[in-house]
Amino acid sequence: MDFGLVLQTDPPASAVVGLMRRAERNGFRYGWTFDSAVLWQEPFVIYSRILEHTQKLTVGPMVTNPGTRTWEVTASTFATLNDMYGNRTVCGIGRGDSAMRVAGRKPNTLARLGEAIGVIRDLAEGREAVVDGQPVRLPWVKNGKLPVWMAAYGPKALALAGEKADGFILQLADLYLTEWMVKAVRTAAAEAGRDPDSITICVAAPAYVGDDLAHAREQCRWFGGMVGNHVADLVSRYGEHSDMVPEALTAYIKQRHGYDYSHHGRAGNPSTDFVPDEIVDRFCLLGPARAHIEKLKALRELGVHQFAVYNMHDAKEATIDAYGAEIIPALNS
């Protein structure tokens, strides 16, 4: 099983680079960041520094979207980093939540997202693609490689991930929902004539190692609020009781009353008081190292190839070190 570290690009950028270097020393193979231009610093600038100061770490956004940058700019940026550092990037992509809404725009449609996946991949790998009706090619790309992994929750998005993406990003670590959603992605891949086993499955969620479960829950409760944004979209589209979306995902947002993006992805977010302990426990990895190991082994049995640690709490360094000392070795022994 691979492991990734997910950070926000809060200033100073040197701190982000330092945590990524620490992660690589502890056995993490992927370094991810949020991508929301208003809320945080520009990640692609920081990726260059991370790549310069690591040896093998693969970096990318969790997640970018098709709306904040033109597709040829996104592809060219990835291709430039790959040319400089040797194909060490991955493009995580989705419809766009904070990046679009904070700027006063709606998330992208799935049709636009599906088209963007193919165009960005083709351009970054040196092939011609059509952008706004115009054939485009980056003539300087040589031997480029860019896997594109799609984040999804809803049935149509899961189907699109199976049909188009190289990987599937699931931003929660609930075992039942993971099994349900991975099955949906793989079924869609098979129906599209693809090998379901060729799709990399990445589960991303907060992890907090320690015996004080109450404190860990408060440090990670923000995650239920962040996921709740996407769940609210699904409920508005499919209704509260739909066979299309598991009630295990939707039931907990009944007491949700809006969301303040100024606290997005941060411990102590006041917009997450509706999130019960049970959801925090299901969606996150909490407790002593042995509890993390047990749940990660269960996720691996469900076909998960990578666990990406959302590291937004008061124990960033300690979590990275605990994973490196105890948890990563136990999963890869």
Side-chain angles (χ1 to χ4, degrees), residues 240-315:
E240 290 187 17
H241 306 286
S242 170
D243 294 336
M244 302 288 285
V245 183
E247 191 171 354
L249 177 63
T250 60
Y252 84 97
I253 70 160
K254 290 180 180 179
Q255 302 303 316
R256 178 182 181 270
H257 301 288
Y259 189 80
D260 182 355
Y261 280 95
S262 66
H263 303 283
H264 188 55
R266 299 190 186 281
N269 186 336
S271 299
T272 61
D273 56 356
F274 69 93
V275 180
D277 289 350
E278 180 244 347
I279 287 293
V280 183
D281 293 347
R282 282 171 44 203
F283 284 12
C284 305
L285 272 73
L286 311 175
R290 64 179 180 277
H292 292 243
I293 293 167
E294 180 181 354
K295 190 166 186 178
L296 287 166
K297 286 182 176 179
L299 287 168
R300 187 174 61 183
E301 286 297 311
L302 296 176
V304 175
H305 302 104
Q306 179 182 154
F307 177 63
V309 175
Y310 274 110
N311 205 29
M312 296 88 178
H313 47 57
D314 64 0

Side-chain angles (χ1 to χ4, degrees), residues 194-217:
R194 304 180 67 199
D195 177 5
D197 293 332
S198 69
I199 300 174
T200 302
I201 307 297
C202 174
V203 161
Y208 198 105
V209 183
D211 294 324
D212 189 343
L213 189 57
H215 180 74
R217 284 172 176 152

